[in-house]
Amino acid sequence: DIQMTQSPSSLSASVGDRVTMTCRASKSITKYINWYQHKPGKAPKLLIYTASSLQSGVPTRFSGSGSGTDFTLTISNLQPEDFATYYCQQSHSTLSLSFGGGTKVEIK
Amino acid sequence: EVQLVESGGGLVKPGGSLRLSCAASGFTFSNAGMSWVRQAPGKGLEWLGRIKKKTDGGTTDYAAPVKGRFTISRDDSKKTLYLQMNNLKTDDTAVYYCTTVSVGVASGDLMFSSWGQGTLVTVSS
């Protein structure tokens, strides 16, 4: 199975900051990684698919990059509604899909 | 607008069974692959399994922790997805989400595009 490791597990930031979080796969997943935003009590939301494609309706301050084993989700100009937990998910192994442990973005 | 509404959660004793339902609307359910994901208290998201649309064979795949205990099925006439959970353990306590699965041309081009609000399952004596 492919393990997904996210770092940091949490971070504190202020409105207007540029925030970067990473996800590392235990083996190459080429470009097959997706990113989700999850707020408490809400349905998770797809933000980025296949490493860098922005899901329809998602603000352009969200961007993704990377390939192989190392990937990054960046939020430029952090907004109050962006405080949430972010998960990466690999889809390279379609018989055994898996998520990272999450990065919680908190208000500084 | 895509809507997914889970139901059937509740309190069940260890070793018991429960069936969750997910009612879909706002899209052509029979044309969609579907999946179940859960989140245990204080933990991250965990993929449980998926079912393909019938034109892709309608086959299922499961994560190792639930294989043999959980069964995913669908009723396209009712636009409903199911998760039958047997031999439940305390570790199965979680919020259970159903999701649509969008796939592209390439094998790995797969994502959980829409999610329900979830239903809580508590396994406790």
Side-chain angles (χ1 to χ4, degrees):
Chain A
D1 289 1
I2 298 175
Q3 311 302 319
M4 305 296 285
T5 303
Q6 287 186 247
S7 61
S9 56
S10 65
L11 63 89
S12 296
S14 301
V15 172
D17 283 354
R18 179 183 178 90
V19 167
T20 298
M21 61 195 78
T22 65
C23 187
R24 174 165 287 175
S26 59
K27 58 179 274 192
S28 176
I29 57 172
T30 61
K31 61 177 179 176
Y32 295 118
I33 187 169
N34 308 310
W35 292 91
Y36 302 85
Q37 177 191 66
H38 191 200
K39 298 179 181 179
K42 302 289 188 181
K45 176 184 175 183
L46 174 65
L47 298 175
I48 301 284
Y49 60 95
T50 53
S52 60
S53 297
L54 193 68
Q55 173 72 343
S56 176
V58 174
T60 56
R61 62 180 179 272
F62 291 92
S63 63
S65 63
S67 64
T69 60
D70 294 311
F71 301 87
T72 298
L73 175 69
T74 299
I75 312 172
S76 60
N77 189 21
L78 192 69
Q79 295 299 297
E81 60 267 29
D82 300 337
F83 292 97
T85 301
Y86 294 85
Y87 293 93
C88 62
Q89 173 250 322
Q90 66 82 18
S91 56
H92 182 268
S93 174
T94 57
L95 297 182
S96 183
L97 303 165
S98 52
F99 290 90
T103 293
K104 185 175 184 178
V105 177
E106 298 175 300
I107 301 173
K108 184 182 283 185
Chain B
E1 179 194 1
V2 172
Q3 278 209 314
L4 299 169
V5 180
E6 301 93 339
S7 61
L11 176 63
V12 60
K13 288 181 167 50
S17 297
L18 206 59
R19 188 177 83 157
L20 306 183
S21 300
C22 171
S25 61
F27 65 103
T28 306
F29 181 75
S30 60
N31 283 349
M34 301 293 294
S35 190
W36 288 96
V37 175
R38 71 183 177 186
Q39 184 178 35
K43 304 290 187 182
L45 299 174
E46 179 185 22
W47 175 72
L48 299 178
R50 71 162 172 152
I51 186 166
K52 294 181 180 179
K53 59 185 179 182
K54 288 213 168 29
T55 53
D56 285 343
T59 55
T60 51
D61 297 302
Y62 297 94
V66 304
K67 195 169 187 177
R69 297 191 300 126
F70 289 11
T71 302
I72 298 173
S73 62
R74 62 191 298 158
D75 186 334
D76 289 346
S77 67
K78 294 183 178 179
K79 301 181 184 179
T80 301
L81 177 73
Y82 301 102
L83 179 65
Q84 176 68 43
M85 304 185 292
N86 298 329
N87 189 21
L88 283 161
K89 309 174 189 298
T90 55
D91 286 351
D92 295 318
T93 294
V95 175
Y96 286 72
Y97 298 97
C98 72
T99 87
T100 57
V101 178
S102 296
V103 297
V105 175
S107 172
D109 204 358
L110 178 158
M111 64 212 74
F112 305 122
S113 42
S114 296
W115 297 63
Q117 297 278 355
T119 187
L120 176 63
V121 172
T122 303
V123 185
S124 174
S125 54

